[in-house]
Amino acid sequence: MKSSRLVSILLLLQTRGRMTAAQLAEELEVSVRTVYRDVEALGAAGVPLYGDAGHAGGYRLLDGYRTRLTGLTADEAEALFLSGAPGPAAQLGLGPVLAAAQLKVRAALPPALRAHADRISGRFHLDAPGWYTDADPTPHLSAVADAVWNGRVLRVTYRRWREPTDVTRRWEPYGLVLKAGRWYVVAGPGPRTYRVDRILELTATDEEFTRPDAFDLAAYWAGYRRDFHDRLYRTRARVRLAPGVRLTGPAQAAVRAHGRTDADGWTVADVPIESVDHAHGEFLRLGADVEVLDPPELRERIARTAAELARRYGAQAP
């Protein structure tokens, strides 16, 4: 709608400063001619913006002009307050800052939208960690967050899985990611991904670094997740599943995509597995509702375990 587009132009100029008509058109996915008409409409409405011609020209707002947040829709106001996860913000040392920001936004909202925001805050609460895991202690998280924000180099002693387990590294922290209740820091050079709870010692330095202009944290993390799954699920197993049995994660996705029903009504599918050791435990918990057909070493190992269980539980109790 034109009204929402006008508000978007106003907020873009307010947050980014000078922008050309072409830049605004690309951001809003409209034509340059449409931007010209919208800018004229804003000027006619009394918004103090002006344009400069030339190579370095563009539109900008008069210095000091700020708009109130009356352009928010009800859905946008709800989403804004839903996105303010108090737990992660507190972990980063930003709890009071988040509360103050929400208070200011709430005060600027019209009464009707304020009621929507209060409603969403009172009915939804975000709790990221799983039920059966305690939150990992992250005593160095606020220091890492401060270095990310200020572009400062960190000297870190870090515990990793392989030998030597404890190593000292120089990090250029590009960003933090919260995944399933666990914090990760993406740091250069590389960049590479590290768990914040595995930091043993941390020293903040005064050395500054320049974050690469082309680095996109969200895009990096999406690629990291894809690579992680590719590394994690290195092999496959062929299984038969009883009717109604569900696997988890990528294995269930493979069943949905490629599973076929045999004459007995069971589903046959090739599913990704981490390793024979891991799959052995995962399939055993399904009992007689799963049959491993391939690879042979996994089928034979489960058969040996089943035979041992039969002997153990078949013996007379003393």
Side-chain angles (χ1 to χ4, degrees), residues 25-307:
E26 181 179 3
E27 188 74 29
L28 300 172
E29 298 182 350
V30 297
S31 67
V32 172
R33 180 169 297 186
T34 297
V35 171
Y36 289 151
R37 289 197 297 265
D38 289 346
V39 168
E40 290 179 3
L42 286 171
V47 176
L49 80 167
Y50 60 92
D52 295 325
H55 177 71
Y59 295 107
R60 61 177 299 177
L61 293 169
L62 189 66
D63 290 343
Y65 177 81
R66 308 288 293 177
T67 182
R68 288 172 58 85
L69 293 174
T70 52
L72 284 175
T73 66
D75 289 342
E76 290 167 343
E78 290 176 356
L80 178 62
F81 277 78
L82 182 60
S83 67
Q91 287 180 300
L92 291 170
L94 298 175
V97 177
L98 175 64
Q102 287 187 334
L103 181 62
K104 291 177 182 178
V105 171
R106 185 180 181 279
L109 292 173
L113 296 189
R114 193 178 307 146
H116 279 289
D118 291 342
R119 184 183 182 195
I120 204 76
S121 297
R123 299 195 181 191
F124 293 91
H125 177 72
L126 304 181
D127 186 9
W131 280 106
Y132 303 107
T133 56
D134 295 328
D136 298 313
T138 53
H140 301 291
L141 178 60
S142 60
V144 174
D146 184 72
V148 168
W149 185 253
N150 293 298
R152 303 281 183 174
V153 170
L154 294 173
R155 298 283 179 183
V156 173
T157 300
Y158 183 80
R159 176 159 293 168
R160 59 184 186 176
W161 294 109
R162 63 181 183 273
E163 295 288 343
T165 55
D166 296 354
V167 295
T168 300
R169 293 287 185 266
R170 174 187 179 276
W171 285 359
E172 297 177 358
Y174 295 165
L176 280 164
V177 176
L178 178 62
K179 171 67 174 175
R182 178 171 289 156
W183 286 99
Y184 298 84
V185 57
V186 179
R192 300 181 64 185
T193 304
Y194 305 89
R195 281 174 48 174
V196 176
D197 64 299
R198 292 192 170 277
I199 298 175
L200 302 178
E201 297 178 5
L202 179 147
T203 301
T205 74
D206 293 329
E207 181 185 354
E208 297 182 355
F209 70 90
T210 301
R211 192 171 185 263
D213 292 336
F215 179 76
D216 184 313
L217 182 60
Y220 169 86
W221 186 257
Y224 177 80
R225 286 185 58 195
R226 288 192 300 270
D227 292 343
F228 175 80
H229 283 289
D230 289 343
R231 295 192 305 269
L232 186 63
Y233 300 103
R234 298 178 180 177
T235 186
R236 305 184 78 81
R238 177 164 296 178
V239 298
R240 291 178 73 238
L241 301 171
V245 172
R246 290 178 57 85
L247 302 179
T248 59
Q252 181 59 29
V255 172
R256 286 197 302 265
H258 307 294
R260 56 180 178 81
T261 304
D262 63 15
D264 296 328
W266 286 44
T267 300
V268 179
D270 291 338
V271 299
I273 60 174
E274 293 184 33
S275 64
V276 168
D277 286 343
H278 184 267
H280 171 259
E282 289 294 300
F283 291 141
L284 273 179
R285 68 183 178 82
L286 296 175
D289 287 334
V290 63
E291 179 187 2
V292 174
L293 305 176
D294 194 66
E297 59 268 31
L298 177 57
R299 180 180 174 90
E300 292 167 4
R301 183 169 175 182
I302 291 178
R304 288 196 303 271
T305 302

